[in-house]
Amino acid sequence: MKHELPVESRVISLIRQLQEAGFEAYIVGGAIRDLLLGRTPKDYDVSTSATPEEVRSVFGRRSARIIGKRFRLVHVQFGGELFEVSTFRQAPDASASGSRRHGEELPEHLILSDNSFGTAEEDAWRRDFTVNALFYDPVRSELIDFTGQGIDDIRNQVVRAIGKPQLRFEEDPVRMLRALKLVGQYDFALDAATENALFAALPLIRHAAPSRLSLELEKILSSSYGDRHLQAFHDYGLLEYFLPELEHAWGTPAAEYALNLLNERNCRVAEGLYRNSISLAMATVALPFVELECDRGPGELWEDNPVASAAIRVVLDRIFLPQTMMNRMTESAVRVLSLQTQLIDPETVEDSLFESKSYAHARELLLIRTAVAEEDVAEAERLWPAAARRRGGRSGRRRSRRR
Ligand code: ATP
Ligand code: MG
């Protein structure tokens, strides 16, 4: 079907280059979903008939790097941007699934490798949800809905698993998380069969590869919709398996405060004021629980002493360790939290504070706390100047804004 979508010109050039080399190439996945919803895509995924080696020869060895094992794809540096280019896949056969990983007995249908190449149509059918299975050729302005339901489901805001939902979640439990991210992010609803299968398959999330769950957590924390994703996980009972500490605290004043802080951070990221730092997101979620650990209520900050320093680490580990965050992020979150007790009086602080590696994020958290407490953000910004090369936060009195 002919359909004009406002695709970035760089992506059109990349697709054209593959097509001129004799291959089929389409934009696929989230970008088409987002464009049809009238949103700006976060990034573009490209799918092609070229094998990873052929993609490399089209773009040159310097610009194209093959990555992944379970799912081999090519990272192509093109026009100053990084694109994921994957080869059309067919549904993995039974021999690629099931059995054991590191001695652990795994469910029968779990997919461990997904590298059998196929046609564009086969590639659409092995994708997770109809709304994620649309193909778009931006050179010919051609939109292809192989499942026949993707466009309607986007229109009706429905998340529908392709094929048998139960099997699709058993093959790859991370798909449950992906379904609920769509629910949280776009206010989509699960179709009834997908919903029933999800409830039945939830405990299987334990069998998902830890590295993939950690990657999902990083994506959630760096996105500007993380608070909505976590809400959907809680609503459907997934949070218990994903971040149990947060689930247990859900509904308490500390958890409410944590979500307000994360929401405020996300609004600032969505408005382009703050970078999407994962460590800042971790710090916003953890701060109320550090206060609690130090016998303080929401917004009461702790006193700077060795007990509080220890509490910061304990709390970060308790909340995020189920998904092993990268050490670098945790260390940065520790510094952001530790600096909060120093951002009290700008007259008495050492100048070196402003030079500190984590000052920018620590200041951002201070401003987020100030906004959530409905105090004077403009005044706080004046007192705590942004490092010279950073853009400062905007003034205003806000609370729990929705995007
Ligand atoms: P986002 O906007 O977060 O990037 P996305 O849907 O593009 O959303 P990606 O992780 O970039 O998510 O995946 C690109 C596409 O690959 C998806 O839209 C979907 O078609 C397919 N896909 C990703 N993960 C899976 C999976 N676990 N099972 C089947 N298909 C998947
Ligand atoms: Mg994507």
Side-chain angles (χ1 to χ4, degrees):
M1 164 179 41
K2 282 271 175 232
H3 198 107
E4 290 294 336
L5 288 174
V7 171
E8 264 183 45
S9 59
R10 257 183 303 216
V11 194
I12 305 179
S13 308
L14 183 144
I15 298 268
R16 186 176 283 123
Q17 199 161 324
L18 280 163
Q19 292 180 349
E20 284 174 356
F23 302 104
E24 283 177 76
Y26 300 94
I27 302 169
V28 291
I32 303 306
R33 179 193 70 217
D34 287 347
L35 286 169
L36 288 170
L37 287 167
R39 301 186 181 214
T40 309
K42 159 170 80 55
D43 47 34
Y44 286 87
D45 302 300
V46 171
S47 201
T48 175
S49 58
T51 63
E53 288 71 21
E54 287 167 337
V55 173
R56 268 196 103 183
S57 63
V58 171
F59 295 103
R61 299 192 154 261
R62 281 172 154 213
S63 316
R65 208 159 58 90
I66 300 177
I67 60 150
K69 211 162 120 187
R70 174 189 170 278
F71 193 101
R72 287 174 75 226
L73 53 81
V74 192
H75 272 173
V76 178
Q77 199 70 44
F78 192 89
E81 219 178 304
L82 187 74
F83 294 93
E84 285 198 347
V85 180
S86 60
T87 307
F88 299 147
R89 300 288 203 278
Q90 46 182 243
D93 65 21
S95 62
S97 70
S99 91
R100 304 171 76 79
R101 179 178 53 217
H102 307 307
E104 175 198 7
E105 200 65 44
L106 296 175
E108 183 185 0
H109 301 295
L110 193 77
I111 297 173
L112 299 179
S113 165
D114 190 357
N115 283 319
S116 345
F117 300 139
T119 63
E121 172 148 18
E122 285 169 331
D123 189 77
W125 286 100
R126 62 100 202 154
R127 289 176 182 269
D128 46 8
F129 307 108
T130 56
V131 295
N132 284 346
L134 292 161
F135 282 49
Y136 186 65
D137 176 345
V139 176
R140 299 179 183 82
S141 301
E142 190 71 27
L143 180 64
I144 312 177
D145 186 359
F146 287 113
T147 72
Q149 280 179 302
I151 295 172
D152 283 348
D153 284 342
I154 286 184
R155 199 172 290 134
N156 300 323
Q157 306 198 297
V158 172
V159 182
R160 184 190 313 275
I162 296 173
K164 294 200 179 91
Q166 174 92 23
L167 179 65
R168 300 312 305 280
F169 291 143
E170 285 172 9
E171 283 175 349
D172 181 2
V174 174
R175 288 177 186 148
M176 293 188 273
L177 221 119
R178 295 178 53 82
L180 295 179
K181 279 169 72 179
L182 292 171
V183 169
Q185 184 157 338
Y186 303 102
D187 273 333
F188 279 16
L190 298 179
D191 104 284
T194 302
E195 184 170 79
N196 289 337
L198 182 134
F199 282 130
L202 270 184
L204 293 180
I205 199 79
R206 292 200 188 96
H207 297 294
S211 59
R212 292 190 61 215
L213 291 177
S214 301
L215 195 69
E216 285 300 333
L217 180 58
E218 283 171 23
K219 286 208 276 187
I220 289 164
L221 289 174
S222 65
S223 126
S224 58
Y225 294 95
D227 51 321
R228 291 176 168 224
H229 295 152
L230 296 176
Q231 180 71 51
F233 292 179
H234 166 75
D235 292 344
Y236 280 84
L238 180 89
L239 197 59
E240 182 185 335
Y241 300 98
F242 191 60
L243 295 176
E245 190 71 17
L246 198 56
E247 173 60 31
H248 295 152
W250 204 266
T252 63
E256 294 282 312
Y257 184 34
L259 287 176
N260 280 339
L261 292 172
L262 183 61
N263 173 270
E264 182 65 35
R265 174 265 187 199
N266 289 343
C267 290
R268 287 164 179 253
V269 172
E271 288 165 18
L273 300 171
Y274 290 3
R275 282 177 301 168
N276 57 353
S277 152
I278 294 178
S279 55
L280 178 63
M282 289 171 79
T284 59
V285 174
L287 181 129
F289 298 99
V290 178
E291 291 176 338
L292 198 62
E293 189 77 10
C294 298
D295 292 322
R296 303 290 159 121
E300 286 179 2
L301 223 56
W302 52 92
E303 244 175 66
D304 186 18
N305 61 37
V307 177
S309 301
I312 289 175
R313 278 179 193 282
V314 167
V315 166
L316 281 166
D317 281 355
R318 234 175 20 212
I319 298 177
F320 297 107
L321 209 59
Q323 310 307 343
T324 13
M325 296 302 296
M326 271 159 67
N327 249 341
R328 179 169 53 79
M329 294 168 196
T330 309
E331 286 312 310
S332 168
V334 167
R335 285 196 300 273
V336 171
L337 286 165
S338 301
L339 284 179
Q340 295 309 298
T341 48
Q342 294 184 38
L343 300 178
I344 306 288
D345 182 357
E347 295 299 320
T348 58
V349 296
E350 308 261 328
D351 279 353
S352 60
L353 176 79
F354 299 103
E355 307 298 320
S356 142
K357 200 158 126 195
S358 296
Y359 170 70
H361 285 333
R363 171 184 178 275
E364 287 172 354
L365 180 53
L366 166 77
L367 297 177
I368 290 169
R369 283 168 39 219
T370 309
V372 168
E374 301 190 15
E375 287 165 4
D376 194 341
V377 177
E379 174 68 3
E381 281 177 345
R382 198 183 58 73
L383 290 175
W384 299 99
R389 64 198 155 73
R390 299 290 321 281
R391 285 202 290 160
R394 225 168 53 185
S395 62
R397 291 162 178 264
R398 286 171 281 203
R399 187 176 170 76
S400 245
R401 292 174 283 149
R402 298 315 277 172
R403 277 138 291 136

